[in-house]
């Protein structure tokens, strides 16, 4: 049996290409070890290309990306490009047009990692946030009236469709059941104020819950959950929430697992093409210096393998990463690891093959 996967690689901006290079080093080692093949196609989408061509994405980009098994993304964001152009024109456009309606963000404290929370250890911090990824405030609904005048009005609406909310919630219940850790799913919302959007979320949540009698259901307001993440992260197993709240709480999640150096995510279309990325930015000030931490990108690669059905390889990479955090790295921060970017990639490969 020959398992061959075609992967589109978008290194992107800043440190993106460097961390992706280490991710590919590890993925290649895993593929020879576990007997499958990865074919990488490098696409130059990002800030440099935009500055040279004035085109954010080529016209055929979406159709082209649809032909791959998966997309492996570094980072998007360039200091010479106005904020929003690349983020909306590349990252959000791909999420929307490829209908990657799930943003999966594991929050897991690995051994040896310095946690900013007092008295919390890896047993206490191990949960997954499932963020809706195509609707809500990100849908771009709204507009200006009387722009630039003292009477200016700006409206930004949160779009929540029954279909969009339900498919996300369903994915979360399925995920929670398969994960089989505490079998607890927490809905995060703001039902006390956003009484339209989260009314729909809440009704849908409890309706779908009836089909999953083995899953314990739980609810938290978004403001309260930021408190619980700091005080009692051990309460959480799987969390489901809308796009905006998911964006915010997963940055907090990344910090309690040790920082952006380790936080990975997947933009998932269970029936289409998914895209895996470190969730941090392009860190232009560290670009080209071989000091950035590639572990988030390597973990995103592991998530990609799990998604492709190569679970044994994906899990093995994760274990190798835990050896590196447990035995080697002084810190997860850029320039403070005690190793260079490429040395960290080499260490992961070393643990993987031994
Ligand atoms: C993220 C990022 C993006 C988002 C930005 C870069 C558009 O913050 O992936 O969380 O808001 O979704
Ligand atoms: Mn974010």
């Amino acid at each position: 049996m020959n398992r061959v996967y075609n992967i589109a690689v978008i290194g992107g901006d800043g440190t993106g290409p460097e961390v992706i290079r280490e991710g590919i080093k590890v993925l290649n080692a895993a593929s020879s070890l576990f007997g499958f093949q990865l074919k990488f196609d490098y696409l130059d989408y990002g800030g440099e290309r935009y500055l040279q061509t004035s085109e954010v994405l080529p016209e055929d980009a979406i159709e082209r990306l649809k032909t791959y098994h998966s997309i492996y993304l570094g980072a998007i964001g360039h200091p010479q490009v106005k904020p929003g152009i690349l983020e909306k024109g590349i990252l959000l456009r791909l999420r929307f047009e490829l209908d990657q309606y799930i943003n999966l963000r594991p929050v897991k404290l690995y051994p040896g990692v310095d946690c900013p929370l007092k008295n919390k250890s890896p047993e206490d911090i191990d949960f997954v946030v499932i963020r809706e990824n195509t609707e809500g405030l990100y849908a771009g609904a709204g507009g200006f009236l009387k722009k630039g005048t003292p009477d200016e009005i700006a409206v930004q609406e949160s779009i929540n469709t029954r279909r969009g909310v339900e498919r996300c919630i369903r994915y979360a219940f399925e995920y929670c059941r398969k994960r089989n850790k505490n079998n607890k799913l927490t809905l995060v919302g703001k039902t006390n104020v956003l009484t339209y959007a989260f009314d729909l979320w809440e009704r849908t949540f409890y309706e779908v819950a009836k089909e999953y009698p083995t899953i314990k259901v739980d609810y938290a307001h978004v403001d309260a959950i930021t408190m619980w993440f700091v005080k009692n992260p051990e309460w959480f197993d799987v969390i489901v929430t809308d796009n905006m709240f998911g964006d915010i709480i997963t940055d907090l999640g990344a910090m309690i697992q040790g920082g952006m150096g380790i936080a990975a995510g997947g933009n998932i279309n269970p029936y289409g093409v998914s895209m895996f990325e470190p969730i941090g930015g392009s860190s232009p000030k560290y670009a080209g210096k071989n000091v950035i931490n590639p572990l988030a990108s390597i973990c995103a690669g592991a998530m990609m393998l799990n998604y492709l059905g190569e679970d044994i390889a994906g899990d093995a990479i994760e274990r190798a990463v835990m050896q590196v955090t447990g035995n080697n790295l002084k810190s997860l921060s850029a320039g403070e690891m005690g190793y260079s970017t490429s040395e960290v990639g080499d260490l992961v490969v070393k643990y993987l093959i031994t």
Side-chain angles (χ1 to χ4, degrees):
M1 191 178 59
N2 206 10
R3 286 118 62 206
V4 182
Y5 306 101
N6 297 313
I7 311 295
V9 180
I10 306 173
D13 303 317
T15 52
E18 287 167 67
V19 296
I20 284 292
R21 190 187 62 213
E22 300 312 309
I24 287 177
K25 188 192 273 179
V26 173
L27 287 168
N28 279 332
S31 73
S32 27
L33 201 59
F34 295 98
F36 57 92
Q37 223 183 317
L38 295 167
K39 288 189 179 160
F40 298 104
D41 266 354
Y42 292 83
L43 306 175
D44 66 352
Y45 309 160
E48 285 306 325
R49 181 182 190 283
Y50 171 68
L51 290 171
Q52 274 160 30
T53 64
S54 314
E55 189 184 61
V56 180
L57 275 182
E59 224 169 285
D60 67 347
I62 302 292
E63 284 318 303
R64 179 156 185 204
L65 288 169
K66 283 185 184 164
T67 65
Y68 291 92
H69 289 100
S70 192
I71 304 166
Y72 191 34
L73 174 71
I76 297 291
H78 194 290
Q80 278 144 263
V81 182
K82 202 175 131 212
I85 294 181
L86 301 169
E87 292 85 343
K88 278 186 144 174
I90 302 180
L91 187 61
L92 297 182
R93 182 153 172 230
L94 297 186
R95 288 178 182 170
F96 289 0
E97 293 195 24
L98 297 171
D99 204 19
Q100 293 164 342
Y101 61 89
I102 299 298
N103 195 324
L104 190 66
R105 297 189 163 179
V107 177
K108 188 166 169 178
L109 180 64
Y110 287 145
V113 172
D114 206 13
C115 175
L117 305 182
K118 202 167 69 183
N119 303 327
K120 298 293 174 191
S121 57
E123 304 83 73
D124 300 311
I125 302 178
D126 180 8
F127 60 88
V128 177
V129 178
I130 293 175
R131 160 185 174 190
E132 202 290 323
N133 212 28
T134 55
E135 300 193 340
L137 282 167
Y138 278 69
F144 293 108
L145 275 176
K146 303 181 186 172
K147 190 173 178 185
T149 74
D151 298 323
E152 176 163 358
I153 298 170
V155 177
Q156 191 99 40
E157 290 158 320
S158 176
I159 303 295
N160 298 265
T161 68
R162 171 70 199 213
R163 202 175 84 86
V165 169
E166 185 171 331
R167 67 182 180 172
C168 177
I169 285 175
R170 244 174 225 293
Y171 184 93
F173 273 104
E174 286 292 330
Y175 187 92
C176 189
R177 184 161 71 182
K178 284 207 196 88
R179 173 173 155 94
N180 199 19
K181 189 178 172 246
N182 298 338
N183 286 288
K184 177 176 168 190
L185 180 62
T186 304
L187 171 68
V188 168
K190 189 73 188 172
T191 52
N192 53 348
V193 177
L194 305 180
T195 50
Y196 310 127
F198 283 98
D199 184 84
L200 174 60
W201 276 83
E202 193 180 33
R203 272 184 288 120
T204 310
F205 184 70
Y206 289 108
E207 266 172 49
V208 175
K210 290 187 198 137
E211 297 169 39
Y212 296 87
T214 58
I215 306 292
K216 293 182 276 299
V217 284
D218 175 39
Y219 171 82
H221 291 320
V222 64
D223 49 348
I225 202 132
T226 61
M227 190 168 73
W228 305 130
F229 271 16
V230 172
K231 199 167 172 287
N232 298 101
E234 67 281 2
W235 285 353
F236 301 105
D237 178 12
V238 181
I239 289 169
V240 63
T241 190
D242 85 342
N243 209 340
M244 187 78 258
F245 291 165
D247 178 48
I248 297 167
I249 68 173
T250 53
D251 267 25
L252 178 55
M255 282 304 124
I256 68 173
Q257 73 181 123
M260 287 299 178
I262 195 85
N267 300 275
I268 294 175
N269 176 343
Y271 310 101
V273 182
S274 299
M275 174 166 78
F276 297 84
E277 55 171 342
I279 79 172
S282 58
S283 314
K285 71 172 179 185
Y286 296 120
K289 299 198 170 124
N290 203 24
V291 295
I292 194 81
N293 186 346
L295 289 181
S297 171
I298 292 169
C299 290
M303 286 181 78
M304 179 168 78
L305 293 186
N306 285 325
Y307 166 82
L308 291 170
E310 299 293 343
D311 299 272
I312 296 175
D315 295 348
I317 293 176
E318 195 191 10
R319 282 196 304 274
V321 167
M322 289 193 219
Q323 300 250 45
V324 174
T325 60
N327 302 331
N328 300 93
L329 297 201
K330 285 212 283 268
S331 153
L332 295 185
S333 305
E336 295 167 23
M337 299 186 289
Y339 296 86
S340 67
T341 305
S342 45
E343 284 170 343
V344 174
D346 293 342
L347 280 170
V348 178
V349 170
K350 186 188 94 180
Y351 289 118
L352 184 66
I353 61 182
T354 51

